[in-house]
């Protein structure tokens, strides 16, 4: 619970941080709501690093995360949204040079909180797939033409005709962006927005682009093209003095009054409604996004008057009215696109078969080929529309150039095929070399040395075991001999002394013999006594040491030694007791003889005692 509370507090801090930074820019002083909304959304775009992600990279991220197969009304939770944003920004860091890496975690946190605040204000923790696609496709970088084409592909049917219900859904979702930056009263959704944009009944791609890229565009979406114009003029320099703030140069837009001669304002003064002298805010102003020197203006006017250049250029290339069919790309090889700038890429592709079909036909690659082929077809259509004004000599030149390009593409494909085959061959060789075989193990001197050492150790242990078993057998044979001596001496004592009271303790002590105790220690190693090591051992010893259970050799030897020691002690004691009895009888005999001799001398006849 504490961890969840810390996460929620952290997200609230990040959310407040974005809006606090936006307020610090003081965008609310801009008097025109269109510029105010565009500036705020441009700030959010740059702060979240979305301006570095092209719309085609965004489409690829949608596909890699499985959003292309989901229904528009399907809902995804915040955790999956965070995963999608993580893939977008981590892929962006891979494309950027090391000196221009972004803070991925900060970008994910800021953008995630902005999306949740925009599309999940009630706190359900979910948003629709279409809402996420519409927001990210609108706020990412790239050309507005590519964005509108992608949006049209999401709201049109299989015949290439726009579905009004889907466009209405798109307006509902995209107009939540101005509301999120507190500009909802100026650009809020209304039920009549769809018919205001398209009063026609059948809307195709070219009509859709004509309406949304017109000057002016529909009122509800007027901030969208302005946001792209802001991105294009951020670094444009105008060597002109502002008539109000007297700044000697301008950056961004430049505004020139159509009534006051030579009166020009920088974008900061115009946005804030500053005016001086006879100029009034009610005067009509013309917006300039570039600087042209007087010489360029003169040449442009002369060329226009002589008819050497078209008077009006179309806002976009004309695309085929029929819906684009999926291309068969089963035998297509595509090299990685080489970036020329932030918006354009160079494509090298052809229809030759390749050997590694499984590695080159992933869904992301196929979709990228769809995208790039569509762009290439648009360029060809634009070039075809302009080729009618070219002289016939240019046709032959273009044909030769195309032929050279095809030859170059074929050479590159052959080289690519050879490289793939070489990579496959090297991979197989590496796998074969890394697998160990018994022959290699036999030829390895280290393994052979270890094997000899193990065998030597095994032989040494077997010799030690045999020696220990032989020592045990000898000790047990000695013990058997001692036990036999003890029994013989016992029988002799029983025959000689009979029931002599002084020999009873020694007799009982000699009959008592400690028996071996079986060890139950967990650390002992059980060893079975072989039959050959007990050859020559009597039944008493076999009964004492052959209990039918595994025995510990070391403990048995220690017990046998203790038994031998005790038996020897008993035997020595018995011998000492026998010697003492003999000495006592000799003393008695000597005393008797002395008494006999004494009686003889005294003349008395006494009978000698019987022994």
């Amino acid at each position: 619970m504490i961890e969840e509370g810390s996460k929620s507090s952290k997200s609230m801090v990040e959310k407040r941080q974005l809006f606090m930074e936006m307020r610090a820019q003081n965008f609310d002083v801009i008097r025109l709501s269109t510029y105010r909304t565009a500036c705020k959304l441009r700030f959010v775009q740059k702060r979240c690093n979305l301006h570095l992600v092209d719309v085609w990279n965004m489409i690829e991220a949608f596909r890699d995360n499985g959003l292309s197969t989901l229904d528009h009304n399907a809902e995804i939770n915040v955790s999956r949204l965070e995963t999608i944003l993580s893939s977008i920004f981590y892929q962006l860091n891979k494309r950027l040079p090391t000196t221009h890496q972004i803070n991925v975690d900060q970008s994910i946190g800021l953008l995630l909180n902005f999306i949740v605040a925009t599309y999940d204000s009630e706190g359900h923790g979910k948003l629709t797939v279409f809402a996420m696609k519409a927001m990210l496709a609108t706020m990412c970088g790239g050309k507005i033409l590519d964005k509108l084409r992608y949006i049209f592909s999401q709201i049109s049917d299989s015949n290439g005709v726009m579905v009004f219900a889907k466009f209405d859904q798109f307006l509902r979702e995209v107009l939540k962006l101005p509301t999120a930056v507190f500009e909802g009263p100026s650009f809020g959704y209304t039920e009549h927005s769809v018919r205001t944009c398209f009063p026609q009944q059948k809307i195709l791609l070219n009509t859709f682009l004509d309406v949304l890229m017109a000057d002016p565009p529909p009122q509800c979406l007027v901030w969208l093209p302005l946001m792209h114009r802001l991105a294009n003029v951020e670094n444009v320099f105008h060597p002109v003095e502002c008539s109000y703030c007297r700044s000697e140069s301008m950056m961004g837009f430049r505004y020139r009054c159509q009534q006051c001669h030579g009166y020009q304002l920088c974008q900061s003064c115009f946005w804030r409604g500053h005016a001086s002298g006879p100029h009034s805010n009610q005067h009509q102003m013309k917006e300039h996004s570039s600087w042209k020197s007087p010489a360029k203006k003169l040449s442009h006017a002369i060329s226009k008057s002589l008819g050497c250049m078209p008077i009006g250029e179309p806002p976009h290339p004309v695309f085929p009215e029929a819906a684009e069919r999926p291309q068969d790309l089963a035998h297509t090889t595509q090299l990685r696109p080489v970036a020329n700038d932030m918006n354009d890429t160079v494509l090298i592709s052809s229809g030759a078969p390749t050997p590694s079909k499984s590695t080159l036909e992933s869904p992301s690659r196929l979709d990228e080929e769809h995208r790039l082929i569509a762009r290439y077809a648009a360029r060809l259509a634009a070039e075809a529309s302009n080729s009618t004004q070219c002289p016939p000599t240019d046709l032959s030149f273009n044909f030769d150039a195309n032929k050279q390009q095809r030859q170059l593409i074929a050479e590159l494909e052959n080289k690519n095929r050879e490289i793939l085959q070489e990579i496959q061959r090297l991979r197989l060789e590496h796998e074969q070399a890394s697998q160990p075989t018994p022959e290699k193990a036999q030829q390895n001197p280290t393994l052979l040395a270890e094997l000899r050492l193990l065998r030597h150790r095994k032989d040494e242990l077997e010799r030690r075991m045999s020696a220990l078993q032989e020592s045990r057998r000898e000790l047990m044979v000695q013990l058997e001999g001692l036990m036999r001596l003890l029994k013989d001496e016992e029988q002799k004592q029983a025959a000689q002394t009979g029931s002599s009271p002084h020999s009873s303790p020694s007799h009982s002590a000699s009959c008592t013999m400690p028996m071996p105790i079986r060890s139950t220690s967990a650390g002992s190693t059980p060893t079975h006594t072989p039959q050959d090591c007990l050859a020559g051992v009597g039944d008493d010893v076999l009964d004492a040491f052959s209990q039918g259970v595994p025995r510990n050799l070391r403990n048995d030897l220690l017990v046998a030694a203790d038994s031998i020691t005790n038996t020897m002690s008993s035997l020595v004691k018995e011998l000492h007791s026998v010697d003492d009895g003999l000495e006592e009888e000799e003393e008695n005999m000597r005393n008797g003889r002395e008494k006999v001799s004494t009686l003889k001398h005294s003349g008395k006849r006494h009978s000698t005692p019987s022994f």
Side-chain angles (χ1 to χ4, degrees), residues 582-607:
L582 292 175
E583 289 178 357
E584 185 178 356
E585 289 182 0
E586 288 178 358
E587 182 67 26
N588 294 331
M589 290 177 67
R590 188 167 48 253
N591 294 333
R593 289 191 189 98
E594 291 179 354
K595 289 180 178 182
V596 170
S597 60
T598 303
L599 291 175
K600 286 180 179 181
H601 288 290
S602 62
K604 295 181 180 180
R605 302 185 66 90
H606 295 284
S607 62

Side-chain angles (χ1 to χ4, degrees), residues 186-207:
S186 301
F187 301 101
Y189 171 79
T190 61
E191 297 179 356
H192 306 287
S193 299
V194 177
R195 289 301 174 184
T196 303
C197 296
F198 299 103
Q200 303 91 336
Q201 294 297 327
K202 184 177 180 181
I203 306 300
L204 300 177
L205 175 59
N206 292 315
T207 308

Side-chain angles (χ1 to χ4, degrees), residues 388-501:
T388 57
Q389 302 177 0
C390 299
T393 56
D394 293 338
L395 295 176
S396 61
F397 176 76
N398 292 335
F399 178 76
D400 295 337
N402 292 333
K403 185 176 180 181
Q404 294 177 0
Q405 290 178 358
R406 286 195 298 271
Q407 292 177 355
L408 178 61
I409 289 172
E411 294 176 0
L412 290 175
E413 288 175 352
N414 293 331
K415 189 66 176 178
N416 184 29
R417 192 179 302 111
E418 294 175 0
I419 292 173
L420 291 175
Q421 292 176 355
E422 183 68 16
I423 290 173
Q424 185 69 18
R425 185 182 63 80
L426 292 175
R427 184 182 292 111
L428 293 175
E429 291 181 358
H430 177 70
E431 292 177 355
Q432 293 176 359
S434 61
Q435 293 179 356
T437 58
E439 292 79 7
K440 293 182 181 179
Q442 293 178 2
Q443 296 175 2
N444 193 342
T446 305
L447 295 177
L448 293 176
E450 292 180 357
L451 182 61
R452 286 195 296 269
L453 181 62
L454 290 174
R455 288 177 178 174
H456 178 70
R457 181 64 176 170
K458 179 183 177 183
D459 295 339
E460 182 180 356
L461 292 175
E462 289 179 352
R463 287 194 299 270
R464 290 184 61 185
M465 182 64 69
S466 300
L468 291 174
Q469 290 178 354
E470 183 65 24
S471 300
R472 183 187 184 195
R473 189 187 67 80
E474 292 176 357
L475 289 173
M476 296 178 75
V477 170
Q478 293 176 7
L479 180 61
E480 176 67 20
L482 292 174
M483 293 178 69
R484 287 177 181 176
L485 289 175
L486 183 60
K487 286 184 178 182
D488 294 341
E489 187 64 27
E490 196 175 305
Q491 292 175 0
K492 291 179 181 180
Q493 290 295 325
Q496 293 180 359
T497 60
S499 59
S500 178

